[in-house]
Amino acid sequence: MSRFSEMFCALRSQRRAALMPFLQTGYPDLPTIEQMVPAIVASGADAVELGVPFSDPIADGPTMQGAAFRALRRGVRLADALDLVRRLRVGVDVPIALMSYANPLLSYGVERFVRDAADAGVDGVIAADIPADEAGSLIAAAREIRLDTIFLVAPTSTEQRLRVVVEATTGFLYCVSVTGVTGAREHLGDEVGKLIGRVREVTDLPAVVGFGISTPDHARTVARIADGVIVASALYQALENARDPVEAAVAFLRPFAQALRADRRP
């Protein structure tokens, strides 16, 4: 059983959802992210998603695009993300997923990436722009060493597409809450509830919701129907111009963790 599977089994027994913040590897900078991960875990994050900077992040809105571009300007690449995870594993036990687009993986080499990711302590790879039915080489390599392959479904996913993605996914299913790109939002629509309902009809994989989760109330609402929430753009907006980004991240995420722990499912 993978580290993600173990976490979701434990949280289901506690009747609560996981808090899974997204951090962009290399922004504000690598040393800060290395300090930030254990700090947010200590304050309630159940798992961490680390982004691999990429020049054409088509799934991301302006906030996360800006974070990726700034990390790239600092020279941060996929190999740096792997080295970061290796260093984090000295003291961090929670599941860690890398979110990447196809080009960095292909440039690095898929089989080499899978081998090095597992060696570094990565638990899963989120393939943001790789269709599940075109990810055969990634899935085959990952299965051999029990690295989870996590794919995305959206409100626009057809029933046939849902089943294809579910078949290719291990660890958890990434459910996009809206039709659009990442970004902080004031309100969540009813699309996410309909999507989770459709997901539940075809799989018992943990369903984790990302895109637009911006407030503790958003997290509380989504946690009543899903198994986890991913917070990204709103977190990075909170870090803008912060004198102490680590302290700012902890202060921003703590109410999310408290909301998820206070509002247990029946």
Side-chain angles (χ1 to χ4, degrees):
M1 182 179 290
S2 73
R3 197 183 261 119
F4 273 112
S5 296
E6 290 178 355
M7 179 193 74
F8 284 113
C9 284
L11 293 185
R12 280 178 172 175
S13 69
Q14 299 173 29
R15 296 179 291 110
R16 72 171 180 87
L19 175 60
M20 300 169 57
F22 173 96
L23 301 176
Q24 180 63 63
T25 302
Y27 184 72
D29 52 55
L30 282 169
T32 299
I33 295 297
E34 189 170 348
Q35 295 175 39
M36 192 178 292
V37 170
I40 64 175
V41 169
S43 66
D46 298 291
V48 177
E49 180 186 355
L50 293 175
V52 175
F54 180 51
S55 58
D56 298 291
I58 59 174
D60 289 312
T63 300
M64 299 317 303
Q65 285 184 13
F69 294 158
R70 292 170 186 172
L72 286 172
R73 282 203 295 267
R74 291 181 179 276
V76 178
R77 301 293 185 268
L78 174 55
D80 299 296
L82 296 173
D83 288 341
L84 172 64
V85 175
R86 187 175 290 106
R87 295 194 298 276
L88 288 171
R89 279 303 179 208
V90 174
V92 174
D93 292 329
V94 302
I96 297 176
L98 287 189
M99 193 286 283
S100 179
Y101 290 86
N103 277 5
L105 300 182
L106 294 174
S107 178
Y108 192 89
V110 171
E111 291 187 3
R112 177 187 170 208
F113 163 74
V114 167
R115 184 179 61 249
D116 290 354
D119 181 65
V122 174
D123 300 295
V125 55
I126 300 171
D129 63 345
I130 305 177
D133 46 357
E134 297 180 14
S137 60
L138 173 63
I139 293 170
R143 291 289 187 276
E144 289 186 4
I145 53 177
R146 299 184 179 180
L147 183 75
D148 284 326
T149 52
I150 299 146
F151 294 93
L152 283 67
V153 294
T156 53
S157 298
T158 64
E159 298 306 311
Q160 180 181 10
R161 173 55 50 180
L162 267 180
R163 294 183 184 280
V164 169
V165 174
V166 164
E167 183 66 25
T169 296
T170 58
F172 66 89
L173 194 62
Y174 194 127
C175 302
V176 176
S177 69
V178 296
T179 303
V181 296
T182 62
R185 290 174 171 82
E186 292 186 6
H187 305 289
L188 293 177
D190 60 0
E191 290 179 310
V192 63
K194 295 177 181 176
L195 175 60
I196 296 299
R198 294 169 56 213
V199 166
R200 298 299 194 204
E201 290 179 0
V202 299
T203 183
D204 60 357
L205 275 169
V208 176
V209 175
F211 289 41
I213 306 298
S214 307
T215 70
D217 280 344
H218 287 172
R220 184 183 296 109
T221 299
V222 170
R224 290 169 185 161
I225 56 174
D227 299 288
V229 297
I230 294 171
V231 184
S233 295
L235 167 60
Y236 266 78
Q237 288 179 353
L239 302 185
E240 285 286 339
N241 303 316
R243 290 185 177 181
D244 186 337
V246 174
E247 182 178 300
V250 168
F252 180 80
L253 291 170
R254 185 174 290 118
F256 286 78
Q258 292 170 342
L260 297 185
R261 283 164 172 76
D263 196 27
R264 306 296 176 101
R265 291 189 289 252

